[in-house]
Amino acid sequence: MKQKKFILQEKDIPTQWYNIQADMPNKPLPILNPATRAILKPEDLFPIFNEACSRQELDQEHQWIDIPDEVREMYTYYRATPLVRAYAFEKALDTPAHIYFKNESISPVGSHKLNSAIAQAYFCKKQGVTNITTETGAGQWGGALSYAARVFGLECAVYMVKISYEQKPYRKSIMQTYGSNVTPSPSMSTRAGKDILTANPSDNGSLGSAISEAIELALQTPNCKYTLGSVMNHVCLHQTVIGLEAEKQMEMADEYPDMVIACFGGGSNFSGISYPFMRHNILEGKKTRFIAAEPSACPKLTRGKFEYDFGDEAGYTPLLPMFTLGHAFKPASIHAGGLRYHGAGVIMSQLMKDGFMEAVDIQQLESFKAGVLFARSEGIIPAPESCHAIAATVKEALKCKEAGEKKTILFNLSGHGLVDMSSYDQYFSGDLQDFTISDEEIAESLKSADILNK
Amino acid sequence: MKQKKFILQEKDIPTQWYNIQADMPNKPLPILNPATRAILKPEDLFPIFNEACSRQELDQEHQWIDIPDEVREMYTYYRATPLVRAYAFEKALDTPAHIYFKNESISPVGSHKLNSAIAQAYFCKKQGVTNITTETGAGQWGGALSYAARVFGLECAVYMVKISYEQKPYRKSIMQTYGSNVTPSPSMSTRAGKDILTANPSDNGSLGSAISEAIELALQTPNCKYTLGSVMNHVCLHQTVIGLEAEKQMEMADEYPDMVIACFGGGSNFSGISYPFMRHNILEGKKTRFIAAEPSACPKLTRGKFEYDFGDEAGYTPLLPMFTLGHAFKPASIHAGGLRYHGAGVIMSQLMKDGFMEAVDIQQLESFKAGVLFARSEGIIPAPESCHAIAATVKEALKCKEAGEKKTILFNLSGHGLVDMSSYDQYFSGDLQDFTISDEEIAESLKSADILNK
């Protein structure tokens, strides 16, 4: 019988995270203090983030960073996740390509987000922090952080993007089951939220605005830190357990990926699956392609601009050098809530600039079509975000079919969609639509990114 | 680091199912033709079930039955499932007991039901059947069968208990994503459904009535067979992959269970985890306790009677010798839809009579309380059905604490609750209640079971 899954034992769970910053030929441009334009040092991040993560954020020296025992022990609750050969999906596509996926959906909260949530909650706890705040888009990150907070005995407050709060009430229930406080954002509980609601009382929210609210609450609450589910370098660092496991598992399968594909919101699941393989491109000249699948409704990599910009809507964060649509960009209400973010993380932006990765944009209907085909083949109903990676995989697999090429494709199944069934319902009822942003809209929104010239 | 999960490779997935009927000291009483009272032969089941399953149903000879390659190949899509030591849950209960659970929730459809769905769909396909029908309570079985039908290219029609259809709309969406037709039951599409709705237009439905409708449709459709998700001997047979894997995994953990616990609706997940261990009680005199956790709202094992009764509400099935509350029993609308069934499977009923297993009833609020404690410890939010097994585990773990006994408890986590979050919502809002059935109600309902004297 053909081997379907490649399974690691607990002892094979990585003991170190991989820090790609140390290996990058061109280091990311510095993060800047928005008022003084001074280059940020770790200490400057301490008011917002825990100290360990602040140091990881700016660490360009250490190629490998130890995973604390307490974090690795919690990883054993659900890791290593399987690497799966998608035989049925290949057959459905009638492609000569070999398609593998890393199944992060089997984590208790249904996605990869737990990998960083556990690490961040642990580092906060170790430092004596008692309360943490965060934002969540689709609710995957909020659910993960809620459980991680519970594990380490922290109080947790989550600002959930309002459109997701309404579209995905069960995500909210999941966070509440773990014991978190969940507030739809924008809310009247912060200055940032009030400002947004004053300007537009029916604002649907976005990751950018929810981040502003969570940071504001963290700054105003004693012994409280903010945590972020993507974008930041330390989050991407924690997610490298995905790719490090996948690397061993691809060896078990006796293959090496020609392409690595992941959906792209802030970049954490993309980084997680990509960096460990990308280091062989950087260090040994391997030629693997790394493809970020972003929604056409929020095309920062394919149509954005490399600029210094804020990470949040209200402008509370440091200035980040990144591909952005402008921090004032208002993404359309697509169901892939986790991809509705205006910018790409700093490391990915530099890698993109330097040609180590590429990007493709996927329309909403195409993403669900691919997701349904995948569900009917492999059994797993993918999260709307993951559907974007699957759609990009379909594109490449069909190119292989046309060219008669037996390429090896690896994609990250970042999460399942069992809590997103209302979006599938709408897809089947024909109530979903595609969104195309005009060049004018992008140009207008990009004005908000032009910080250094202001 | 303490080992948390015990992981098998694909080659360790069982190649045979375990048929406990061959080993039972007292064989189950025969199943009877309701009209003639003649003892049923496999051929008599052919109009309803596929032939292979009909033979398995009445097989009291073969201790081991080969798993076809095609079925075992589909098992590799999600099996083997992990055996997990619940360290965090033990700590939360402050118990000296060692608690293990078999994590069936990681299947793509979120529960153990796929183990039999794949087998039944395969045997139907092999026989040339083109359409299959079934009922579903909570929706777990319907989702599993929908995917299995898709895998083997069968059309699938599902009658879903109306109260679950309304409480759990996302389960319906899952079935539709796999391509099934889903009808709330009772419906006007069958005589059985019409009769029920005529008597009571606001009938909430039950597994019994949905079974009647699915059988009726199968009988009236060319080249169509009915499939059942629990109760029947062949379903319990297929589920023994759970316990057979767990047996190997408990060996890896160097322990043997003093208690095996599972929730109990028709008995399939209970059988699956129990029989492989119970054979050592039967054949070698081991003293493991097997505890079925049933809802107080549907207490067939703890308060029902051993009688010949119908398996469905309308009386379409053969007469089954079983612990029953009477096939006219109307269970209250608890959220554990999969446990709302009036009878216990034939094998389990005999094992219960012969003292090989015991039962405990669990109230709804107690079940959710245990489920929330488990979620906050182990991260996995359990299905409302599985919460009953967890509550029974809590009871036994606390007895261990009181007695200072380090017993080993194994329970089956039959499924996750990510599609049942509305029930958790209601639990947290205080909108859920307990249900206690009076002796008079049970006596009244049991009149419907008194078939042989009619």
Side-chain angles (χ1 to χ4, degrees):
Chain A
M1 202 170 293
K2 298 174 296 188
Q3 190 168 356
K4 171 81 178 161
K5 294 192 307 305
F6 299 87
I7 306 282
L8 298 173
Q9 297 290 332
E10 286 179 7
K11 63 178 172 48
D12 300 314
I13 296 173
T15 55
Q16 297 181 307
W17 293 303
Y18 170 61
N19 180 22
I20 198 170
Q21 292 192 78
D23 288 337
M24 290 168 72
N26 296 319
K27 303 300 176 199
L29 296 185
I31 300 174
L32 303 180
N33 179 312
T36 65
R37 307 278 158 97
I39 293 178
L40 227 68
K41 293 187 293 291
E43 306 81 275
D44 300 323
L45 291 169
F46 290 176
I48 298 181
F49 295 104
N50 72 70
E51 298 180 8
C53 289
S54 300
R55 291 203 181 86
Q56 291 165 4
E57 186 64 23
L58 301 173
D59 187 334
Q60 301 188 342
E61 273 180 55
H62 303 93
Q63 195 183 21
W64 298 98
I65 293 178
D66 287 344
I67 301 175
D69 281 349
E70 293 84 345
V71 172
R72 193 161 176 272
E73 187 183 333
M74 288 311 301
Y75 281 171
T76 68
Y77 276 60
Y78 63 101
R79 306 204 72 82
T81 61
L83 178 81
V84 186
R85 171 81 184 269
Y87 290 113
F89 193 48
E90 289 171 15
K91 195 174 162 197
L93 293 170
D94 188 24
T95 176
H98 290 191
I99 302 176
Y100 291 83
F101 64 93
K102 181 74 169 160
N103 187 1
E104 290 293 304
S105 79
I106 67 155
S107 108
V109 297
S111 86
H112 70 294
K113 292 288 187 187
L114 204 46
N115 301 328
S116 184
I118 289 170
Q120 293 190 54
Y122 165 77
F123 288 123
C124 283
K125 176 71 179 182
K126 202 182 159 205
Q127 187 185 323
V129 166
T130 54
N131 292 51
I132 56 181
T133 72
T134 199
E135 81 298 330
T136 194
Q140 301 262 23
W141 167 249
L145 190 74
S146 297
Y147 170 51
R150 166 66 52 172
V151 165
F152 293 106
L154 303 169
E155 286 297 312
C156 180
V158 181
Y159 286 95
M160 182 170 187
V161 176
K162 195 193 275 171
I163 181 77
S164 295
Y165 188 92
E166 284 160 6
Q167 281 176 346
K168 307 183 177 187
Y170 293 173
R171 290 272 184 216
K172 174 203 66 183
S173 315
I174 289 170
M175 293 182 250
Q176 287 170 339
T177 300
Y178 293 129
S180 285
N181 276 310
V182 187
T183 308
S185 170
S187 77
M188 295 299 281
S189 69
T190 63
R191 188 186 59 77
K194 280 179 206 159
D195 286 352
I196 295 165
L197 288 172
T198 304
N200 175 16
S202 63
D203 192 288
N204 270 333
S206 69
L207 276 173
S209 64
I211 292 173
S212 300
E213 293 207 271
I215 293 180
E216 187 178 326
L217 182 65
L219 288 171
Q220 292 177 354
T221 307
N223 216 10
C224 181
K225 295 293 168 201
Y226 167 70
T227 67
L228 191 64
S230 190
V231 184
M232 303 292 284
N233 301 344
H234 64 273
V235 183
C236 299
L237 173 78
H238 304 152
Q239 293 295 352
T240 58
V241 287
I242 302 171
L244 291 167
E245 286 178 6
E247 205 189 343
K248 292 187 198 180
Q249 290 165 311
M250 289 299 298
E251 265 177 47
M252 290 166 74
D254 207 16
E255 300 220 50
Y256 193 88
D258 297 303
M259 283 166 257
V260 175
I261 298 175
C263 62
F264 199 100
S268 81
N269 104 84
F270 175 85
S271 304
I273 188 93
S274 295
Y275 291 172
F277 292 99
M278 202 183 281
R279 85 177 191 274
H280 301 298
N281 278 28
I282 297 175
L283 302 177
E284 300 145 33
K286 286 241 190 208
K287 299 285 181 211
T288 300
R289 290 172 57 204
F290 297 91
I291 305 171
E294 65 179 9
S296 305
C298 195
K300 60 233 166 202
L301 291 171
T302 49
R303 300 175 64 198
K305 219 172 143 189
F306 188 89
E307 292 266 18
Y308 270 97
D309 197 4
F310 289 109
D312 68 324
E313 194 163 330
Y316 289 166
T317 69
L319 286 178
L320 307 168
M322 60 182 188
F323 276 91
T324 179
L325 294 161
H327 65 276
F329 183 74
K330 296 276 187 197
S333 300
I334 55 169
H335 277 274
L339 308 184
R340 297 176 70 248
Y341 183 68
H342 67 278
V346 167
I347 296 178
M348 285 77 80
S349 295
Q350 186 65 44
L351 292 168
M352 184 79 188
K353 233 175 124 198
D354 291 344
F356 284 106
M357 57 179 277
E358 56 193 285
V360 60
D361 73 297
I362 305 286
Q363 284 284 8
Q364 177 156 263
L365 295 178
E366 185 183 3
S367 74
F368 277 101
K369 186 180 171 200
V372 169
L373 185 70
F374 182 78
R376 290 179 178 183
S377 311
E378 297 292 325
I380 305 166
I381 300 177
E385 292 81 5
S386 310
C387 287
H388 288 72
I390 296 172
T393 300
V394 168
K395 276 186 201 297
E396 294 297 333
L398 294 181
K399 279 187 216 161
C400 286
K401 182 184 174 181
E402 212 163 305
E405 286 180 322
K406 205 181 81 179
K407 298 232 168 121
T408 299
I409 304 175
L410 166 65
F411 76 86
N412 195 30
L413 184 74
S414 53
H416 65 63
L418 294 178
V419 194
D420 305 291
M421 293 314 300
S422 64
S423 58
Y424 279 87
D425 258 2
Q426 288 182 39
Y427 172 68
F428 286 119
S429 331
D431 293 339
L432 290 192
Q433 59 178 112
D434 285 341
F435 294 94
T436 303
I437 320 293
S438 71
D439 291 338
E440 292 70 28
E441 283 171 280
I442 291 181
E444 181 59 32
S445 152
L446 268 171
K447 287 181 189 164
S448 66
D450 190 21
I451 314 278
L452 292 192
N453 299 321
K454 277 176 194 160
Chain B
M1 204 171 290
K2 297 174 298 187
Q3 191 168 355
K4 169 81 179 162
K5 294 192 308 307
F6 299 87
I7 306 282
L8 298 172
Q9 297 291 333
E10 285 180 6
K11 65 177 171 46
D12 300 313
I13 295 173
T15 55
Q16 298 181 307
W17 292 303
Y18 170 60
N19 179 22
I20 199 170
Q21 292 192 79
D23 288 337
M24 289 168 73
N26 297 319
K27 303 299 176 200
L29 296 184
I31 299 173
L32 303 180
N33 180 311
T36 65
R37 309 279 156 97
I39 292 178
L40 226 71
K41 294 187 293 289
E43 308 82 273
D44 300 323
L45 291 170
F46 290 177
I48 300 181
F49 295 104
N50 72 70
E51 298 181 9
C53 289
S54 300
R55 290 201 181 86
Q56 291 166 2
E57 185 65 22
L58 301 172
D59 187 334
Q60 302 188 341
E61 272 180 56
H62 303 92
Q63 196 183 18
W64 297 99
I65 293 177
D66 287 344
I67 301 175
D69 281 348
E70 294 85 345
V71 172
R72 194 161 173 273
E73 186 182 336
M74 288 311 300
Y75 282 170
T76 67
Y77 276 59
Y78 63 102
R79 306 202 70 83
T81 61
L83 178 80
V84 186
R85 173 81 183 268
Y87 289 113
F89 193 46
E90 289 172 16
K91 196 174 162 196
L93 293 169
D94 189 23
T95 177
H98 290 190
I99 302 177
Y100 291 84
F101 64 93
K102 180 74 168 159
N103 187 2
E104 289 294 304
S105 78
I106 66 155
S107 108
V109 298
S111 84
H112 70 293
K113 291 289 188 188
L114 204 47
N115 301 328
S116 184
I118 288 169
Q120 293 189 54
Y122 166 76
F123 287 124
C124 284
K125 177 70 178 183
K126 202 183 157 201
Q127 186 185 324
V129 166
T130 54
N131 293 51
I132 56 180
T133 72
T134 200
E135 81 296 331
T136 195
Q140 300 263 23
W141 168 248
L145 190 73
S146 298
Y147 170 51
R150 167 66 53 172
V151 165
F152 293 107
L154 304 169
E155 285 297 312
C156 180
V158 181
Y159 286 95
M160 184 171 187
V161 177
K162 194 191 277 170
I163 181 77
S164 295
Y165 188 91
E166 286 162 4
Q167 282 176 344
K168 306 182 178 188
Y170 292 174
R171 290 272 183 215
K172 175 204 64 185
S173 317
I174 289 170
M175 293 182 251
Q176 288 171 338
T177 300
Y178 294 128
S180 286
N181 274 310
V182 186
T183 309
S185 169
S187 77
M188 295 300 281
S189 70
T190 64
R191 189 186 60 77
K194 280 179 205 157
D195 286 352
I196 294 165
L197 288 173
T198 305
N200 176 17
S202 64
D203 193 290
N204 270 332
S206 68
L207 276 173
S209 65
I211 291 173
S212 300
E213 293 206 271
I215 292 180
E216 188 178 326
L217 183 66
L219 288 170
Q220 292 177 354
T221 307
N223 215 11
C224 181
K225 296 293 168 198
Y226 167 70
T227 66
L228 190 63
S230 187
V231 183
M232 302 291 284
N233 301 343
H234 64 274
V235 184
C236 299
L237 173 78
H238 304 152
Q239 293 295 351
T240 58
V241 288
I242 302 171
L244 291 167
E245 287 177 6
E247 206 188 342
K248 291 186 201 182
Q249 291 164 310
M250 290 298 299
E251 265 176 48
M252 291 166 74
D254 207 17
E255 299 221 51
Y256 192 87
D258 297 304
M259 284 168 255
V260 175
I261 298 175
C263 63
F264 199 102
S268 82
N269 103 83
F270 175 84
S271 303
I273 188 93
S274 295
Y275 291 173
F277 292 99
M278 201 183 281
R279 86 178 191 273
H280 301 298
N281 278 27
I282 296 175
L283 301 177
E284 300 145 32
K286 285 240 190 210
K287 301 285 182 208
T288 299
R289 289 171 58 201
F290 297 91
I291 305 171
E294 65 180 8
S296 304
C298 197
K300 61 237 169 198
L301 291 171
T302 49
R303 299 175 66 195
K305 219 170 142 190
F306 187 89
E307 293 265 18
Y308 270 97
D309 196 3
F310 289 110
D312 67 323
E313 193 163 330
Y316 288 165
T317 70
L319 285 178
L320 307 168
M322 61 182 187
F323 275 90
T324 180
L325 294 161
H327 64 275
F329 183 74
K330 297 275 188 197
S333 301
I334 55 169
H335 278 274
L339 308 184
R340 297 176 70 247
Y341 183 68
H342 67 279
V346 167
I347 295 178
M348 286 77 81
S349 294
Q350 186 65 42
L351 292 168
M352 184 79 188
K353 232 176 126 199
D354 291 345
F356 284 105
M357 57 179 277
E358 55 193 286
V360 61
D361 73 299
I362 305 287
Q363 284 284 8
Q364 177 157 262
L365 295 179
E366 186 183 0
S367 75
F368 278 100
K369 186 181 169 198
V372 170
L373 185 68
F374 182 79
R376 292 180 176 182
S377 312
E378 297 292 326
I380 305 166
I381 299 179
E385 292 81 6
S386 311
C387 287
H388 288 73
I390 296 171
T393 300
V394 169
K395 275 186 202 297
E396 294 297 332
L398 294 181
K399 280 188 215 162
C400 287
K401 182 184 174 183
E402 212 164 303
E405 286 181 323
K406 205 180 82 177
K407 298 228 168 124
T408 299
I409 305 175
L410 166 65
F411 76 86
N412 196 29
L413 185 74
S414 52
H416 66 62
L418 293 178
V419 195
D420 305 291
M421 292 315 299
S422 63
S423 58
Y424 278 87
D425 258 2
Q426 289 182 39
Y427 171 68
F428 286 119
S429 333
D431 293 341
L432 290 191
Q433 57 177 113
D434 286 341
F435 293 97
T436 303
I437 319 294
S438 71
D439 291 338
E440 292 69 30
E441 284 172 280
I442 290 182
E444 181 59 33
S445 153
L446 268 170
K447 287 180 189 165
S448 66
D450 188 22
I451 314 277
L452 292 192
N453 297 319
K454 276 175 192 159

